[in-house]
Amino acid sequence: MYSASQLLALSVSVAICVIAVLYADYFAGLFSKRDASFSVPEQQQMLASLMFHASKNGNAAANTRDPPRLAFCCSADLDVAVPAVALMQSVQKVELQQLQKNSKNEKIDEKLNKTHHERIGSLKQLQESFVYYFSTGAAAEQSTLSPEQFREVVTLANALPEVKRKVGGNAATMAERASAEGCMVLLGAAMGNGMKPYFVDERIKLVGHLKEHEHEDVHLVLEYASGDKFRGYTSPRANRYYLNHDVHNAQLSVLEEFEKSLDSFKPDLVVFGGLQLMEVQINEATRLMRLQALSDVLQNLFVTQTPTHYEFAAVSDFTLFDDTVRLVLPWVDSIGLNEQELFILHHFLVTGEKGTATTSRPSVSEISAQLHDIIQFASKAKKVFQTTKEDRDKSVALAQLSRIHFHTLQFHIVCQKMGSKWEDPTTALVQSALMSSKVACGKSRANTTDESIPQPMRTSAEMEVDPTRIEMLLARQQLLSERQNLKVELDPFSPIVTWQEANFQCHLVPMLACKKPDHTAGLGDNISGTGVAYHRIQK
């Protein structure tokens, strides 16, 4: 039997439990809840944590080991950057003048439909293509059919007061960034007298040149901000639209000379990028022959066990993309890509169909699901690769895959195969994420030099994130993997999140996105160049 005091205690306990259940919501309201988003002090702590992690290891060569030796091929150009809307307004004006001249008093349709074009054949198609990507805030890289029309648009760009010029191109930008971070670099690209003075870093060895009568490739970089408007369309985020009509990059003209230089350079990693520029080459047989030549180079590197990385870019021509998947992807160890490029690759490998624009702000769980499928595809491709010697097709794409570097506005992810040759990726991941903020809206360089004189690219240590211009876009609670029902709470004091996708270890770091970026051109290449510079390979 219970004593009176025990019965009283039991009754009180039961009463408290009943009250707690009935008034749970009321009591919960008495205690402060943490907001779903991060406060400003928490965001500053996130930045401090990332900067501390980055500072622990110095630059890519800051230890007793030899600096990484990285080789890059095969794209360089002169970037002409302009405000996108200003240039599009000039294009629209010229198009209207041409229509009025030829219409003979017929009514001109001013409605503009957003449309994807594999190649740009007119000023109207240029505007349609631009708003197709602009309206979703997606990055794009398009080519014109006519060199004359491209030069016409370049003339309009050069007439704008805000025009800026610098060396660009996937390989060249990644190479510059890697050398700035302390790496020894070999760069293969067709360069003339206009671009060579920009490469003042002694750690960069250049391979490839143009004859005096040959012109360097030019890229137009149309940059826009979130909220920009053009012909009834509004951009949801800052991004850029590239336009080109390349000659040398489209032919991989320095490929053979670059390969010959690899023997003496002895790279730790060989990086290829800029294949999207081959879209200009309309003769598909010629283009396929050059892609096959690149595939042969990759196979030679595979035989010598030299790791390779392929940097994706925006896709317009899916015949070229299909050929790249078949001829290039079976041989590369590492890939780098953004949300649009991942969407296209995933959709193509999983369904066999082409896809174009996607959301510019995917969730973590959406990306992890796509990465999981890519990793599973690579695992199956490896088995097919090992058992099939003849008639290999896209089924062996990514057969050698051991590393993925994904970056988007809200977060970065590096996944690497467990037991592979890659060392811990967290420093590379953090440095890449910080580089994005530094390039897009970092503190400006003190104006102590003549801007007309080419200057070496600033190192990450010389660049600063501006705390007043950044924000965390990810919420505190994140669903990492819907398939695994894996949820995490991001911690400003320990910002790196780790989980497993099949036999790959994945690491995520939140991005400190710029509220209003100053620069978006070359951003992905700076990110990826930083990633390969800091992600060491075991020897």
Side-chain angles (χ1 to χ4, degrees):
M1 293 294 292
Y2 293 105
S3 66
S5 60
Q6 288 175 321
L7 288 172
L8 178 61
L10 182 61
S11 300
V12 171
S13 299
V14 171
I16 291 173
C17 290
V18 171
I19 292 171
V21 170
L22 294 176
Y23 294 93
D25 292 339
Y26 171 78
F27 286 118
L30 297 178
F31 299 95
S32 61
K33 293 181 180 178
R34 289 202 290 180
D35 292 337
S37 57
F38 288 95
S39 66
V40 172
E42 286 178 313
Q43 294 183 47
Q44 301 306 315
Q45 178 57 54
M46 183 76 74
L47 173 60
S49 298
L50 293 174
M51 291 175 63
F52 175 75
H53 186 102
S55 66
K56 287 192 301 181
N57 299 289
N59 70 12
N63 52 45
T64 57
R65 299 159 66 181
D66 292 333
R69 301 182 67 82
L70 307 180
F72 298 84
C73 192
C74 299
S75 56
D77 61 78
L78 191 63
D79 275 355
V80 178
V82 292
V85 172
L87 179 58
M88 282 294 103
Q89 288 171 341
S90 296
V91 169
Q92 180 190 13
K93 183 178 179 180
V94 172
E95 185 211 10
L96 284 173
Q97 290 172 347
Q98 293 174 352
L99 289 173
Q100 289 168 353
K101 183 178 179 180
N102 300 323
S103 65
K104 297 180 180 179
N105 297 322
E106 293 179 11
K107 186 177 180 180
I108 298 173
D109 184 8
E110 295 188 2
K111 183 180 179 182
L112 183 67
N113 295 317
K114 54 183 181 180
T115 308
H116 168 71
H117 297 284
E118 285 201 349
R119 294 182 183 87
I120 306 301
S122 67
L123 295 180
K124 181 180 180 181
Q125 287 186 0
L126 173 56
Q127 294 171 79
E128 290 173 339
S129 171
F130 172 73
V131 297
Y132 179 81
Y133 294 98
F134 173 82
S135 62
T136 61
E141 187 154 3
Q142 298 285 97
S143 302
T144 63
L145 283 169
S146 161
E148 292 78 20
Q149 188 169 79
F150 179 68
R151 284 195 288 269
E152 179 184 13
V153 181
V154 171
T155 300
L156 293 175
N158 284 326
L160 295 174
E162 307 95 328
V163 64
K164 296 179 181 178
R165 300 172 185 84
K166 68 178 184 65
V167 168
N170 302 103
T173 304
M174 287 189 288
E176 275 198 287
R177 174 48 57 199
S179 70
E181 301 309 313
C183 300
M184 302 302 295
V185 167
L186 175 70
L187 171 60
M191 281 179 285
N193 296 329
M195 283 193 283
K196 283 184 178 179
Y198 285 89
F199 293 93
V200 296
D201 192 330
E202 294 180 353
R203 286 171 294 210
I204 300 181
K205 178 183 177 182
L206 300 177
V207 174
H209 66 280
L210 295 177
K211 297 176 182 177
E212 287 193 11
H213 68 277
E214 293 179 312
H215 296 286
E216 295 167 324
D217 289 331
V218 174
H219 286 190
L220 286 177
V221 186
L222 285 65
E223 297 188 288
Y224 53 85
S226 175
D228 278 1
K229 301 178 185 298
F230 178 68
R231 297 192 68 174
Y233 297 94
T234 303
S235 167
R237 61 162 283 190
N239 220 322
R240 67 272 175 202
Y241 177 99
Y242 288 96
L243 187 68
N244 68 74
H245 188 91
D246 281 17
V247 175
H248 309 290
N249 293 328
Q251 298 171 355
L252 304 180
S253 60
V254 301
L255 179 63
E256 286 76 14
E257 187 179 355
F258 173 76
E259 184 181 21
K260 289 178 182 177
S261 300
L262 292 177
D263 286 340
S264 58
F265 184 73
K266 294 180 172 48
D268 300 319
L269 178 71
V270 182
V271 180
F272 291 94
L275 298 191
Q276 76 283 358
L277 303 173
M278 299 180 77
E279 292 176 358
V280 174
Q281 179 58 261
I282 300 175
N283 187 322
E284 292 187 4
T286 301
R287 188 173 70 187
L288 186 62
M289 182 176 67
R290 295 306 292 156
L291 265 183
Q292 184 61 62
L294 173 58
S295 183
D296 292 342
V297 172
L298 287 165
Q299 291 177 56
N300 293 338
L301 292 168
F302 172 76
V303 170
T304 59
Q305 297 185 327
T306 304
T308 53
H309 171 90
Y310 176 62
E311 190 67 22
F312 280 84
V315 177
S316 296
D317 186 326
F318 280 88
T319 301
L320 173 60
F321 187 73
D322 181 86
D323 291 337
T324 302
V325 169
R326 289 189 303 104
L327 296 173
V328 174
L329 294 193
W331 305 103
V332 296
D333 300 87
S334 170
I335 58 174
L337 64 187
N338 64 20
E339 73 281 353
Q340 185 186 15
E341 294 149 8
L342 175 61
F343 174 85
I344 292 171
L345 177 64
H346 174 267
H347 191 72
F348 188 80
L349 293 180
V350 172
T351 69
E353 300 173 353
K354 64 181 183 180
T356 49
T358 180
T359 174
S360 59
R361 292 194 181 182
S363 68
V364 173
S365 61
E366 288 172 337
I367 294 302
S368 70
Q370 292 175 6
L371 291 174
H372 174 81
D373 290 345
I374 294 291
I375 290 167
Q376 293 290 73
F377 186 96
S379 178
K380 294 176 183 177
K382 184 71 172 179
K383 295 176 182 177
V384 175
F385 183 89
Q386 292 170 335
T387 57
T388 305
K389 303 299 181 184
E390 303 294 335
D391 298 325
R392 288 171 171 167
D393 56 14
K394 75 172 186 179
S395 64
V396 294
L398 303 176
Q400 320 308 328
L401 185 68
S402 59
R403 176 183 181 269
I404 305 171
H405 184 181
F406 170 82
H407 53 87
T408 188
L409 184 67
Q410 301 152 279
F411 55 92
H412 289 200
I413 295 174
V414 170
C415 296
Q416 67 182 51
K417 194 172 186 178
M418 292 184 289
S420 66
K421 64 192 75 175
W422 301 96
E423 296 185 1
D424 186 295
T426 53
T427 296
L429 180 62
V430 169
Q431 289 281 15
S432 298
L434 287 172
M435 182 57 64
S436 179
S437 303
K438 291 173 179 178
V439 171
C441 63
K443 293 182 179 179
S444 301
R445 185 203 302 254
N447 191 18
T448 58
T449 57
D450 185 350
E451 292 188 1
S452 65
I453 301 174
Q455 300 293 323
M457 187 178 276
R458 287 191 294 166
T459 69
S460 58
E462 294 172 329
M463 304 167 74
E464 289 185 70
V465 177
D466 188 340
T468 65
R469 301 187 62 190
I470 56 174
E471 60 182 339
M472 278 274 296
L473 297 178
L474 284 186
R476 190 184 304 276
Q477 299 284 344
Q478 287 296 319
L479 176 63
L480 275 184
S481 171
E482 187 172 355
R483 182 182 55 83
Q484 301 180 57
N485 193 28
L486 184 59
K487 300 177 183 178
V488 296
E489 181 172 305
L490 299 178
D491 182 359
F493 289 90
S494 183
I496 301 172
V497 177
T498 302
W499 78 103
Q500 192 171 325
E501 292 290 351
N503 60 339
F504 276 62
Q505 194 82 6
C506 294
H507 309 262
L508 174 146
V509 65
M511 259 295 297
L512 298 164
C514 296
K515 299 173 185 176
K516 191 173 179 62
D518 297 322
H519 308 285
T520 58
L523 191 56
D525 295 323
N526 270 280
I527 291 168
S528 295
T530 304
V532 295
Y534 283 91
H535 201 169
R536 286 276 195 161
I537 300 171
Q538 297 172 5
K539 294 185 181 180

